[in-house]
Amino acid sequence: MSDLRELYQEVILHHAKTPRNYGVLEGANRVADGHNPLCGDRLHLTLLTENGVVKDLRFGGDGCAISTASASIMTDSVKDKPIEEAQAMLASFHAMVSGEEVPENAVELSSKLEVFAGVREFPARVKCAMLAWRTLEAALSQPEGSTDPSSITTE
Ligand code: ZN
């Protein structure tokens, strides 16, 4: 188990140091800002949806290793996926990191998302891991083409 934990830490640190999909997406049609005051993580998410599919997305901002790695892996995971599937992944991811009941629309998570399962043991870090997903949720709740970013703060 400790070897596995080390491996997970390596994956998280790698993504935190060299995040994927970092920046601002030109031509985005949905924008959201996320803030986790508990840790100080801030996230700016820009995404493009077309015909019910997340075509592309980028994230920016400043956060701890877990929130940055989570945003890096989240953006990779939902790219080219139907919005409905992205929302199901969000629900499954939340159940995994919080230990709460698995929702009806749960999907099997990829192994790169499963590296965050260990976060469950650190309740204060659950919000760090969830920030990218909560910000995605806020962006998807907006109408396409909205230029006002919707903002969320983790409770
Ligand atoms: Zn954090």
Side-chain angles (χ1 to χ4, degrees), residues 90-134:
L90 186 164
S92 299
F93 187 86
H94 179 255
M96 179 183 74
V97 296
S98 66
E100 281 172 28
E101 219 173 299
V102 177
E104 263 176 43
N105 64 342
V107 287
E108 204 172 318
L109 294 172
S110 66
S111 54
K112 55 186 176 178
L113 286 169
E114 281 180 340
V115 302
F116 291 95
V119 166
R120 196 188 313 182
E121 291 166 48
F122 307 96
R125 310 318 295 270
V126 170
K127 290 180 172 66
C128 300
M130 280 307 297
L131 181 64
W133 291 94
R134 289 294 176 219

Side-chain angles (χ1 to χ4, degrees), residues 36 39-41 63-67 125 127-128:
N36 173 20
C39 178
D41 310 316
C64 67
I66 290 178
S67 71
R125 310 318 295 270
K127 290 180 172 66
C128 300

